[in-house]
């Protein structure tokens, strides 16, 4: 069965055991129909692949890269006798996009959605000395999935045939994404076993409120079992500052605030019978007031990027070394923030942002929505908003929720689609963070959704897709758009803008695709942004080059990165380093 108590990040402590199932697994490709025998019996002629990681690039095999349909993973594991009578849970950090999980020939879980965790409590009666764990993964995308797929054709000049041509010629089906990043799939995040006592803590919510030099802290716990939980608040060095029952208001005098690029984390220790859990949290406030975005009561300016979980070989799989490198490069640049474009990122990355003081706009995987998909995606969209916020509600690094990226928001149905989701996000979030939708309509005066959000977030490519190469026209068009959005008296963030740039191409007279053009492009647009007080952020697209579907507009992927895919800086990285190190995190535009 699937357990609903899956939002706590698994941890090893004095009451809980944590066992990693990461490593080399057996793997085999399948077809369009689920083959149950590959979940019950050991795979024959299996490949050997690493988990967690996308399967697409792990071997020099076009069948893996361009696979369509089901794929199968298997590994064996044993359970230590020390587990005893404890509850034993199998947890997957993320499997893209849909999956079925079998243990010793019995189905124990299924899940849809490739970017959030799920788990199953194991029935000890199913366990043996050596247990066969099998996972079937379906990578297909369509009008009902998040992210959205095209049913028969693809975007961005890929040269893919239309649906009728596919039908007539009986071509082998493929995934045609309605999004501009590669459809990396597989077991992308960690797999683990963890234990709890029979009566346990299943969820923890921490909220804080600043008042007259003190912080009021409320720690609420959901318990499986009768009784009350006890709470201790600990400082960074482990010293107890306050204690009481879960649900009591606890006070921290003279708290150290969690600040961008100056993080400070407290820990709430929650104890319940023979179980305990340690939840880190930050004391900080977030508020939209007029055309300002306030963190701890001060006007914050977003400097940073749209980003992807994307790297050579790993694909979209968790790479903690790369996460550490990326955060260090952001700090080298003077950046303070990024958006999890276009899906919830790993818990490991968010934990790192909490520790390092990086501000995050957390986004759902609702990318590619249009009039063809609205009626099919609403249930999944509601579910992913609820699950994302439930998973990530305690992260101080997250200051805003993004419901979607670049949907069609010109039509009345878009407003009717998004406003209930906007209200749902506010209802689900115990911290009531601001909520946005990232829009991109070229005819922006017809946009029905952006002005209704707490913060207006827009992607705009004047000088690249529009007025290609003409930076004077780009600056004029950007100014005209900002003149329009200024009338709504809300904060505005330019959440994407950029130019494809091939590393190593240089030009004395800046031309498109050269490093010089990319730097001058950003300088031209930023000069406009600096003139408007309601513009409270700039997120360049993209942090690093990333892989996409093949196409005539994509030379080995999207090359809009300020860094190469290998994290080598382009000229624009040095431009932003000079710019951002001169722009303070707070009070940039008084």
């Amino acid at each position: 069965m699937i357990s609903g108590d899956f939002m706590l990040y698994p941890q090893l402590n004095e009451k809980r055991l944590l066992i990693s199932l990461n490593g080399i697994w057996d793997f085999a490709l399948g077809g369009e129909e689920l083959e149950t025998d590959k979940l019950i019996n050991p795979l024959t002629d299996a490949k050997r692949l690493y988990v967690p990681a996308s399967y697409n690039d792990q071997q020099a095999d076009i069948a893996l890269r361009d696979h369509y349909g089901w794929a199968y993973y298997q590994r064996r594991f044993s359970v230590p006798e020390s587990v005893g009578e404890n509850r034993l849970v199998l947890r997957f950090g993320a499997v893209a996009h849909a999956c079925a999980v079998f243990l010793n020939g019995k189905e124990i879980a299924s899940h849809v959605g490739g970017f959030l965790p799920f788990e199953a409590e194991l029935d000890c009666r199913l366990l043996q000395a050596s247990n066969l764990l099998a996972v079937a993964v379906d990578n297909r995308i369509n009008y009902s999935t998040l992210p959205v797929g095209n049913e028969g054709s693809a975007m961005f000049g890929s040269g893919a045939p239309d649906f009728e041509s596919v039908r007539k010629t009986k071509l082998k089906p493929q995934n045609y994404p309605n999004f501009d990043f590669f459809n990396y799939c597989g077991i992308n995040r960690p797999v683990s076993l963890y234990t709890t006592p029979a009566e346990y803590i299943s969820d923890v919510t921490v909220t804080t409120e600043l008042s007259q030099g003190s912080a009021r802290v409320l720690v609420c716990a959901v318990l499986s079992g009768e009784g009350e939980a006890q709470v201790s608040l600990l400082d960074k060095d482990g010293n107890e500052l306050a204690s009481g029952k879960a649900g009591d208001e606890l006070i921290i005098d003279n708290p150290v605030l969690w600040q961008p690029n100056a993080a400070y984390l407290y820990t709430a220790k929650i104890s319940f019978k023979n179980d305990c859990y340690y939840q880190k949290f930050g004391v900080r406030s977030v508020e939209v007031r007029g055309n300002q975005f306030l963190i701890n009561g001060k006007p914050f300016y977003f400097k940073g990027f749209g980003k992807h979980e994307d790297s050579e070989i790993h694909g979209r799989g968790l790479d903690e070394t790369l996460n550490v490198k990326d955060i260090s490069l952001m700090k080298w640049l003077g950046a303070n923030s990024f958006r999890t474009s276009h899906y919830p990122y790993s818990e490991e990355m968010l934990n790192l942002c909490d520790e390092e003081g990086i501000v995050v706009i957390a986004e759902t995987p609702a990318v590619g929505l249009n009039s063809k998909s609205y009626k099919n995606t609403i249930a999944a969209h509601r579910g992913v908003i609820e699950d994302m916020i439930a998973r990530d509600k305690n992260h101080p690094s997250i200051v805003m929720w993004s419901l979607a990226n670049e949907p069609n928001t010109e039509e009345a149905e878009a407003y009717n689609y998004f406003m209930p989701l906007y209200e749902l996000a506010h209802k689900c979030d115990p911290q009531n963070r601001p909520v946005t939708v990232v829009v991109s309509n070229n005819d922006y005066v017809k946009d029905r959704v952006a002005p209704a959000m707490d913060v207006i977030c827009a992607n705009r490519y004047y000088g690249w897709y529009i007025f290609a190469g003409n930076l004077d026209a780009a600056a004029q068009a950007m100014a005209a758009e900002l003149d329009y959005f200024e009338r709504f008296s809300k904060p505005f963030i330019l959440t994407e803008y950029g130019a494809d740039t091939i590393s190593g191409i240089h030009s004395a007279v800046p031309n498109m695709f050269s490093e010089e053009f990319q730097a001058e492009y950003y300088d031209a647009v930023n000069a406009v942004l600096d003139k408007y007080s309601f513009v409270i952020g700039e997120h360049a697209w993209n942090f690093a080059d990333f892989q996409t579907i093949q196409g005539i507009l994509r030379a080995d992927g999207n090359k809009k990165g300020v860094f190469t895919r290998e994290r080598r800086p382009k000229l624009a990285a040095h431009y932003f380093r000079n710019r951002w190190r001169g722009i303070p995190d707070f009070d940039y535009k008084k």
Side-chain angles (χ1 to χ4, degrees), residues 549-581:
I549 190 173
Q550 295 185 84
I552 57 175
L553 297 183
R554 293 290 175 256
D556 190 32
N558 190 306
K559 291 294 191 285
K560 291 189 181 68
V562 168
F563 294 92
T564 67
R565 203 176 187 208
E566 298 76 26
R567 275 46 178 182
R568 293 185 180 274
K570 300 176 187 177
L571 186 61
H574 296 280
Y575 161 78
F576 274 118
R577 176 175 161 85
N578 290 331
R579 173 176 169 80
W580 286 342
R581 288 166 70 92

mmCIF file of all heavy atoms in Angstrom, residues 549-581:
data_model
loop_
_atom_site.group_PDB
_atom_site.id
_atom_site.type_symbol
_atom_site.label_atom_id
_atom_site.label_comp_id
_atom_site.label_asym_id
_atom_site.label_seq_id
_atom_site.Cartn_x
_atom_site.Cartn_y
_atom_site.Cartn_z
ATOM 1 N N ILE A 549 15.582 18.183 -26.194
ATOM 2 C CA ILE A 549 15.307 17.328 -27.333
ATOM 3 C C ILE A 549 16.118 17.830 -28.533
ATOM 4 O O ILE A 549 16.451 19.013 -28.619
ATOM 5 C CB ILE A 549 13.791 17.329 -27.656
ATOM 6 C CG1 ILE A 549 13.450 16.247 -28.679
ATOM 7 C CG2 ILE A 549 13.331 18.686 -28.125
ATOM 8 C CD1 ILE A 549 11.947 16.091 -28.913
ATOM 9 N N GLN A 550 16.475 16.917 -29.428
ATOM 10 C CA GLN A 550 17.188 17.328 -30.635
ATOM 11 C C GLN A 550 16.332 18.268 -31.470
ATOM 12 O O GLN A 550 15.106 18.124 -31.540
ATOM 13 C CB GLN A 550 17.550 16.105 -31.480
ATOM 14 C CG GLN A 550 18.529 15.147 -30.838
ATOM 15 C CD GLN A 550 18.927 14.051 -31.785
ATOM 16 O OE1 GLN A 550 19.832 14.228 -32.609
ATOM 17 N NE2 GLN A 550 18.250 12.914 -31.696
ATOM 18 N N GLY A 551 16.970 19.237 -32.124
ATOM 19 C CA GLY A 551 16.219 20.159 -32.961
ATOM 20 C C GLY A 551 17.123 21.146 -33.654
ATOM 21 O O GLY A 551 18.266 21.384 -33.227
ATOM 22 N N ILE A 552 16.599 21.774 -34.699
ATOM 23 C CA ILE A 552 17.424 22.675 -35.503
ATOM 24 C C ILE A 552 17.719 23.987 -34.774
ATOM 25 O O ILE A 552 18.580 24.753 -35.209
ATOM 26 C CB ILE A 552 16.744 22.976 -36.855
ATOM 27 C CG1 ILE A 552 15.342 23.561 -36.644
ATOM 28 C CG2 ILE A 552 16.686 21.720 -37.711
ATOM 29 C CD1 ILE A 552 14.654 23.992 -37.922
ATOM 30 N N LEU A 553 17.017 24.274 -33.680
ATOM 31 C CA LEU A 553 17.322 25.467 -32.888
ATOM 32 C C LEU A 553 18.134 25.134 -31.645
ATOM 33 O O LEU A 553 18.368 26.013 -30.816
ATOM 34 C CB LEU A 553 16.017 26.167 -32.469
ATOM 35 C CG LEU A 553 15.150 26.704 -33.599
ATOM 36 C CD1 LEU A 553 13.936 27.423 -33.025
ATOM 37 C CD2 LEU A 553 15.944 27.641 -34.499
ATOM 38 N N ARG A 554 18.561 23.905 -31.500
ATOM 39 C CA ARG A 554 19.286 23.497 -30.304
ATOM 40 C C ARG A 554 20.544 22.729 -30.705
ATOM 41 O O ARG A 554 20.462 21.591 -31.169
ATOM 42 C CB ARG A 554 18.387 22.625 -29.414
ATOM 43 C CG ARG A 554 17.200 23.391 -28.813
ATOM 44 C CD ARG A 554 17.672 24.384 -27.763
ATOM 45 N NE ARG A 554 16.572 25.202 -27.255
ATOM 46 C CZ ARG A 554 16.377 26.467 -27.615
ATOM 47 N NH1 ARG A 554 17.171 27.038 -28.515
ATOM 48 N NH2 ARG A 554 15.388 27.162 -27.075
ATOM 49 N N ALA A 555 21.694 23.362 -30.538
ATOM 50 C CA ALA A 555 22.978 22.744 -30.862
ATOM 51 C C ALA A 555 23.507 22.030 -29.625
ATOM 52 O O ALA A 555 24.104 22.640 -28.741
ATOM 53 C CB ALA A 555 23.976 23.798 -31.333
ATOM 54 N N ASP A 556 23.235 20.726 -29.540
ATOM 55 C CA ASP A 556 23.612 19.944 -28.362
ATOM 56 C C ASP A 556 23.006 20.544 -27.105
ATOM 57 O O ASP A 556 23.653 20.671 -26.068
ATOM 58 C CB ASP A 556 25.130 19.840 -28.228
ATOM 59 C CG ASP A 556 25.547 18.822 -27.158
ATOM 60 O OD1 ASP A 556 24.813 17.833 -26.977
ATOM 61 O OD2 ASP A 556 26.578 19.034 -26.505
ATOM 62 N N GLY A 557 21.740 20.947 -27.199
ATOM 63 C CA GLY A 557 21.042 21.469 -26.040
ATOM 64 C C GLY A 557 20.869 22.971 -26.082
ATOM 65 O O GLY A 557 21.189 23.644 -27.064
ATOM 66 N N ASN A 558 20.334 23.496 -24.990
ATOM 67 C CA ASN A 558 20.112 24.932 -24.846
ATOM 68 C C ASN A 558 21.387 25.571 -24.329
ATOM 69 O O ASN A 558 21.920 25.169 -23.298
ATOM 70 C CB ASN A 558 18.947 25.160 -23.864
ATOM 71 C CG ASN A 558 18.490 26.603 -23.840
ATOM 72 O OD1 ASN A 558 19.287 27.509 -23.632
ATOM 73 N ND2 ASN A 558 17.197 26.816 -24.031
ATOM 74 N N LYS A 559 21.867 26.577 -25.047
ATOM 75 C CA LYS A 559 23.161 27.190 -24.745
ATOM 76 C C LYS A 559 23.022 28.581 -24.114
ATOM 77 O O LYS A 559 23.907 29.412 -24.240
ATOM 78 C CB LYS A 559 23.998 27.289 -26.037
ATOM 79 C CG LYS A 559 24.451 25.928 -26.567
ATOM 80 C CD LYS A 559 25.444 25.273 -25.602
ATOM 81 C CE LYS A 559 26.127 24.062 -26.182
ATOM 82 N NZ LYS A 559 25.262 22.878 -26.245
ATOM 83 N N LYS A 560 21.905 28.806 -23.419
ATOM 84 C CA LYS A 560 21.726 30.105 -22.778
ATOM 85 C C LYS A 560 22.425 30.203 -21.428
ATOM 86 O O LYS A 560 22.298 31.216 -20.723
ATOM 87 C CB LYS A 560 20.241 30.424 -22.617
ATOM 88 C CG LYS A 560 19.519 30.684 -23.938
ATOM 89 C CD LYS A 560 18.113 31.198 -23.700
ATOM 90 C CE LYS A 560 17.396 31.416 -25.014
ATOM 91 N NZ LYS A 560 17.119 30.144 -25.720
ATOM 92 N N GLY A 561 23.140 29.190 -21.036
ATOM 93 C CA GLY A 561 23.804 29.217 -19.749
ATOM 94 C C GLY A 561 24.830 30.328 -19.641
ATOM 95 O O GLY A 561 25.540 30.654 -20.589
ATOM 96 N N VAL A 562 24.912 30.907 -18.446
ATOM 97 C CA VAL A 562 26.019 31.814 -18.122
ATOM 98 C C VAL A 562 27.286 30.992 -17.882
ATOM 99 O O VAL A 562 28.396 31.471 -18.072
ATOM 100 C CB VAL A 562 25.638 32.674 -16.893
ATOM 101 C CG1 VAL A 562 26.834 33.408 -16.334
ATOM 102 C CG2 VAL A 562 24.537 33.662 -17.253
ATOM 103 N N PHE A 563 27.072 29.723 -17.489
ATOM 104 C CA PHE A 563 28.154 28.739 -17.419
ATOM 105 C C PHE A 563 27.880 27.647 -18.457
ATOM 106 O O PHE A 563 26.730 27.433 -18.854
ATOM 107 C CB PHE A 563 28.233 28.089 -16.034
ATOM 108 C CG PHE A 563 28.627 29.026 -14.929
ATOM 109 C CD1 PHE A 563 27.658 29.685 -14.194
ATOM 110 C CD2 PHE A 563 29.957 29.257 -14.622
ATOM 111 C CE1 PHE A 563 27.994 30.556 -13.177
ATOM 112 C CE2 PHE A 563 30.309 30.125 -13.604
ATOM 113 C CZ PHE A 563 29.327 30.784 -12.880
ATOM 114 N N THR A 564 28.925 26.970 -18.897
ATOM 115 C CA THR A 564 28.737 25.796 -19.736
ATOM 116 C C THR A 564 28.146 24.682 -18.889
ATOM 117 O O THR A 564 28.057 24.774 -17.654
ATOM 118 C CB THR A 564 30.064 25.313 -20.336
ATOM 119 O OG1 THR A 564 30.901 24.813 -19.277
ATOM 120 C CG2 THR A 564 30.784 26.437 -21.069
ATOM 121 N N ARG A 565 27.775 23.609 -19.533
ATOM 122 C CA ARG A 565 27.231 22.480 -18.776
ATOM 123 C C ARG A 565 28.271 21.924 -17.809
ATOM 124 O O ARG A 565 27.926 21.360 -16.771
ATOM 125 C CB ARG A 565 26.761 21.391 -19.748
ATOM 126 C CG ARG A 565 25.699 20.463 -19.154
ATOM 127 C CD ARG A 565 25.204 19.471 -20.181
ATOM 128 N NE ARG A 565 24.077 18.684 -19.680
ATOM 129 C CZ ARG A 565 23.794 17.462 -20.088
ATOM 130 N NH1 ARG A 565 24.540 16.875 -21.021
ATOM 131 N NH2 ARG A 565 22.757 16.805 -19.592
ATOM 132 N N GLU A 566 29.549 22.117 -18.137
ATOM 133 C CA GLU A 566 30.634 21.649 -17.265
ATOM 134 C C GLU A 566 30.993 22.684 -16.204
ATOM 135 O O GLU A 566 31.939 22.508 -15.455
ATOM 136 C CB GLU A 566 31.874 21.320 -18.099
ATOM 137 C CG GLU A 566 31.687 20.207 -19.116
ATOM 138 C CD GLU A 566 30.890 20.671 -20.343
ATOM 139 O OE1 GLU A 566 30.914 21.893 -20.659
ATOM 140 O OE2 GLU A 566 30.248 19.818 -20.988
ATOM 141 N N ARG A 567 30.233 23.794 -16.153
ATOM 142 C CA ARG A 567 30.407 24.864 -15.164
ATOM 143 C C ARG A 567 31.642 25.717 -15.412
ATOM 144 O O ARG A 567 32.253 26.244 -14.492
ATOM 145 C CB ARG A 567 30.430 24.307 -13.738
ATOM 146 C CG ARG A 567 29.064 24.101 -13.091
ATOM 147 C CD ARG A 567 28.045 23.426 -13.940
ATOM 148 N NE ARG A 567 26.775 23.225 -13.221
ATOM 149 C CZ ARG A 567 25.732 22.617 -13.743
ATOM 150 N NH1 ARG A 567 25.784 22.104 -14.976
ATOM 151 N NH2 ARG A 567 24.621 22.493 -13.050
ATOM 152 N N ARG A 568 31.993 25.910 -16.675
ATOM 153 C CA ARG A 568 33.027 26.880 -17.025
ATOM 154 C C ARG A 568 32.350 28.214 -17.345
ATOM 155 O O ARG A 568 31.389 28.263 -18.111
ATOM 156 C CB ARG A 568 33.848 26.400 -18.223
ATOM 157 C CG ARG A 568 34.686 25.168 -17.926
ATOM 158 C CD ARG A 568 35.568 24.795 -19.100
ATOM 159 N NE ARG A 568 36.371 23.620 -18.806
ATOM 160 C CZ ARG A 568 37.560 23.657 -18.192
ATOM 161 N NH1 ARG A 568 38.064 24.822 -17.826
ATOM 162 N NH2 ARG A 568 38.223 22.551 -17.970
ATOM 163 N N PRO A 569 32.835 29.318 -16.778
ATOM 164 C CA PRO A 569 32.157 30.600 -16.969
ATOM 165 C C PRO A 569 32.332 31.152 -18.377
ATOM 166 O O PRO A 569 33.413 31.084 -18.964
ATOM 167 C CB PRO A 569 32.830 31.515 -15.940
ATOM 168 C CG PRO A 569 34.185 30.904 -15.730
ATOM 169 C CD PRO A 569 33.987 29.419 -15.870
ATOM 170 N N LYS A 570 31.241 31.702 -18.908
ATOM 171 C CA LYS A 570 31.300 32.482 -20.127
ATOM 172 C C LYS A 570 31.525 33.942 -19.743
ATOM 173 O O LYS A 570 31.533 34.304 -18.557
ATOM 174 C CB LYS A 570 30.001 32.328 -20.922
ATOM 175 C CG LYS A 570 29.686 30.886 -21.329
ATOM 176 C CD LYS A 570 28.338 30.778 -22.038
ATOM 177 C CE LYS A 570 27.950 29.335 -22.274
ATOM 178 N NZ LYS A 570 26.606 29.185 -22.895
ATOM 179 N N LEU A 571 31.705 34.797 -20.737
ATOM 180 C CA LEU A 571 31.960 36.205 -20.472
ATOM 181 C C LEU A 571 30.843 36.819 -19.632
ATOM 182 O O LEU A 571 31.096 37.654 -18.756
ATOM 183 C CB LEU A 571 32.110 36.966 -21.791
ATOM 184 C CG LEU A 571 32.522 38.440 -21.693
ATOM 185 C CD1 LEU A 571 33.877 38.583 -21.028
ATOM 186 C CD2 LEU A 571 32.541 39.055 -23.102
ATOM 187 N N ALA A 572 29.595 36.390 -19.846
ATOM 188 C CA ALA A 572 28.461 36.937 -19.103
ATOM 189 C C ALA A 572 28.557 36.644 -17.611
ATOM 190 O O ALA A 572 28.048 37.422 -16.791
ATOM 191 C CB ALA A 572 27.153 36.388 -19.656
ATOM 192 N N ALA A 573 29.208 35.548 -17.242
ATOM 193 C CA ALA A 573 29.376 35.253 -15.814
ATOM 194 C C ALA A 573 30.213 36.344 -15.153
ATOM 195 O O ALA A 573 29.910 36.802 -14.045
ATOM 196 C CB ALA A 573 30.027 33.887 -15.629
ATOM 197 N N HIS A 574 31.261 36.780 -15.834
ATOM 198 C CA HIS A 574 32.088 37.849 -15.280
ATOM 199 C C HIS A 574 31.338 39.175 -15.278
ATOM 200 O O HIS A 574 31.505 40.003 -14.360
ATOM 201 C CB HIS A 574 33.393 37.952 -16.069
ATOM 202 C CG HIS A 574 34.245 36.721 -15.966
ATOM 203 N ND1 HIS A 574 35.051 36.464 -14.874
ATOM 204 C CD2 HIS A 574 34.403 35.660 -16.811
ATOM 205 C CE1 HIS A 574 35.674 35.310 -15.044
ATOM 206 N NE2 HIS A 574 35.297 34.810 -16.223
ATOM 207 N N TYR A 575 30.483 39.372 -16.275
ATOM 208 C CA TYR A 575 29.646 40.575 -16.284
ATOM 209 C C TYR A 575 28.755 40.595 -15.048
ATOM 210 O O TYR A 575 28.670 41.614 -14.339
ATOM 211 C CB TYR A 575 28.790 40.623 -17.555
ATOM 212 C CG TYR A 575 27.614 41.554 -17.426
ATOM 213 C CD1 TYR A 575 27.770 42.933 -17.549
ATOM 214 C CD2 TYR A 575 26.342 41.064 -17.120
ATOM 215 C CE1 TYR A 575 26.691 43.800 -17.391
ATOM 216 C CE2 TYR A 575 25.258 41.915 -16.967
ATOM 217 C CZ TYR A 575 25.443 43.278 -17.099
ATOM 218 O OH TYR A 575 24.389 44.130 -16.920
ATOM 219 N N PHE A 576 28.063 39.475 -14.779
ATOM 220 C CA PHE A 576 27.168 39.439 -13.620
ATOM 221 C C PHE A 576 27.951 39.515 -12.308
ATOM 222 O O PHE A 576 27.471 40.105 -11.333
ATOM 223 C CB PHE A 576 26.299 38.183 -13.648
ATOM 224 C CG PHE A 576 25.052 38.340 -14.466
ATOM 225 C CD1 PHE A 576 24.832 37.561 -15.586
ATOM 226 C CD2 PHE A 576 24.088 39.279 -14.114
ATOM 227 C CE1 PHE A 576 23.673 37.707 -16.334
ATOM 228 C CE2 PHE A 576 22.931 39.437 -14.862
ATOM 229 C CZ PHE A 576 22.719 38.651 -15.978
ATOM 230 N N ARG A 577 29.126 38.948 -12.268
ATOM 231 C CA ARG A 577 29.941 39.049 -11.045
ATOM 232 C C ARG A 577 30.226 40.514 -10.727
ATOM 233 O O ARG A 577 30.115 40.949 -9.566
ATOM 234 C CB ARG A 577 31.231 38.257 -11.223
ATOM 235 C CG ARG A 577 32.217 38.369 -10.048
ATOM 236 C CD ARG A 577 33.399 37.443 -10.276
ATOM 237 N NE ARG A 577 34.542 37.797 -9.460
ATOM 238 C CZ ARG A 577 34.729 37.404 -8.215
ATOM 239 N NH1 ARG A 577 33.832 36.654 -7.619
ATOM 240 N NH2 ARG A 577 35.815 37.764 -7.548
ATOM 241 N N ASN A 578 30.570 41.276 -11.733
ATOM 242 C CA ASN A 578 30.833 42.704 -11.518
ATOM 243 C C ASN A 578 29.554 43.447 -11.129
ATOM 244 O O ASN A 578 29.570 44.321 -10.258
ATOM 245 C CB ASN A 578 31.438 43.329 -12.768
ATOM 246 C CG ASN A 578 32.850 42.864 -13.028
ATOM 247 O OD1 ASN A 578 33.576 42.532 -12.096
ATOM 248 N ND2 ASN A 578 33.243 42.820 -14.292
ATOM 249 N N ARG A 579 28.434 43.083 -11.764
ATOM 250 C CA ARG A 579 27.183 43.781 -11.483
ATOM 251 C C ARG A 579 26.628 43.419 -10.103
ATOM 252 O O ARG A 579 26.332 44.301 -9.290
ATOM 253 C CB ARG A 579 26.157 43.438 -12.566
ATOM 254 C CG ARG A 579 24.747 43.983 -12.274
ATOM 255 C CD ARG A 579 23.795 43.708 -13.427
ATOM 256 N NE ARG A 579 22.408 43.983 -13.061
ATOM 257 C CZ ARG A 579 21.861 45.209 -13.028
ATOM 258 N NH1 ARG A 579 22.601 46.264 -13.333
ATOM 259 N NH2 ARG A 579 20.594 45.363 -12.687
ATOM 260 N N TRP A 580 26.476 42.130 -9.855
ATOM 261 C CA TRP A 580 25.779 41.700 -8.644
ATOM 262 C C TRP A 580 26.568 41.949 -7.370
ATOM 263 O O TRP A 580 25.966 42.174 -6.312
ATOM 264 C CB TRP A 580 25.406 40.222 -8.762
ATOM 265 C CG TRP A 580 24.265 39.993 -9.709
ATOM 266 C CD1 TRP A 580 23.362 40.913 -10.166
ATOM 267 C CD2 TRP A 580 23.888 38.743 -10.307
ATOM 268 N NE1 TRP A 580 22.444 40.329 -11.008
ATOM 269 C CE2 TRP A 580 22.741 38.987 -11.119
ATOM 270 C CE3 TRP A 580 24.391 37.454 -10.240
ATOM 271 C CZ2 TRP A 580 22.110 37.985 -11.842
ATOM 272 C CZ3 TRP A 580 23.766 36.448 -10.954
ATOM 273 C CH2 TRP A 580 22.641 36.715 -11.753
ATOM 274 N N ARG A 581 27.881 41.924 -7.461
ATOM 275 C CA ARG A 581 28.653 42.216 -6.249
ATOM 276 C C ARG A 581 28.541 43.684 -5.854
ATOM 277 O O ARG A 581 28.895 44.051 -4.739
ATOM 278 C CB ARG A 581 30.108 41.800 -6.461
ATOM 279 C CG ARG A 581 30.277 40.266 -6.468
ATOM 280 C CD ARG A 581 31.630 39.846 -7.016
ATOM 281 N NE ARG A 581 32.716 40.187 -6.114
ATOM 282 C CZ ARG A 581 33.198 39.387 -5.174
ATOM 283 N NH1 ARG A 581 32.655 38.187 -4.990
ATOM 284 N NH2 ARG A 581 34.204 39.755 -4.416
#
